[in-house]
Amino acid sequence: MLPKIHKSGNPGRPIISCVGTLTEQVSGWVEGILKPLVKDTPSFIQDTTDLLNKLSAIGPLPEGTILATINVESLYSNIPHQDGLNACKFFLENTGTDAYSVVKLIKFILTHNYFEI
């Protein structure tokens, strides 16, 4: 566990190694396909510098604009699998990639992961 020192009680963030697991190789392959797609989504923010650059590109914000952040507990483990699969399919469909096969592989990865929170 990696302690979240910025949160009350310092809850831990699990760190799981998939080295030598059933899904190691296919997970890496799928990541290589999905990573460029994620970076092209309008909501993608890589880091603080990227956020500041995007805000600068917008120009002055209208008076009364409130910038806010939200913190979702265990975001990735709380995404319903079918919703995540549907989103992956949506973004893969016009890439020339076999979306059906990639989504089947993602489902395999999700259903053959033995980590529990």
Side-chain angles (χ1 to χ4, degrees):
M1 297 289 254
L2 179 64
K4 298 180 181 181
I5 59 173
H6 61 287
K7 293 192 175 185
S8 176
N10 305 114
R13 172 176 288 148
I15 300 173
I16 309 299
S17 172
C18 73
V19 174
T21 64
L22 177 66
T23 61
E24 177 185 9
Q25 296 297 317
V26 72
S27 293
W29 186 79
V30 168
E31 178 188 13
I33 290 172
L34 295 180
K35 200 171 190 175
L37 298 177
V38 170
K39 288 183 176 183
D40 287 340
T41 58
S43 60
F44 177 78
I45 298 173
Q46 183 168 335
D47 54 25
T48 303
T49 302
D50 187 37
L51 172 63
L52 294 173
N53 288 336
K54 287 179 179 179
L55 288 173
S56 294
I58 293 171
L61 298 175
E63 187 173 327
T65 298
I66 298 173
L67 298 177
T69 64
I70 55 175
N71 187 13
V72 179
E73 187 172 320
S74 301
L75 173 63
Y76 299 108
S77 58
N78 284 316
I79 297 172
H81 286 181
Q82 193 56 54
D83 291 345
L85 293 168
N86 290 341
C88 289
K89 181 180 177 205
F90 174 82
F91 285 104
L92 285 164
E93 284 182 331
N94 295 316
T95 64
T97 302
D98 179 2
Y100 174 80
S101 296
V102 175
V103 170
K104 280 191 76 152
L105 288 171
I106 295 169
K107 186 173 184 177
F108 178 84
I109 294 164
L110 290 170
T111 57
H112 290 81
N113 179 352
Y114 297 103
F115 171 72
E116 290 185 29
I117 295 178

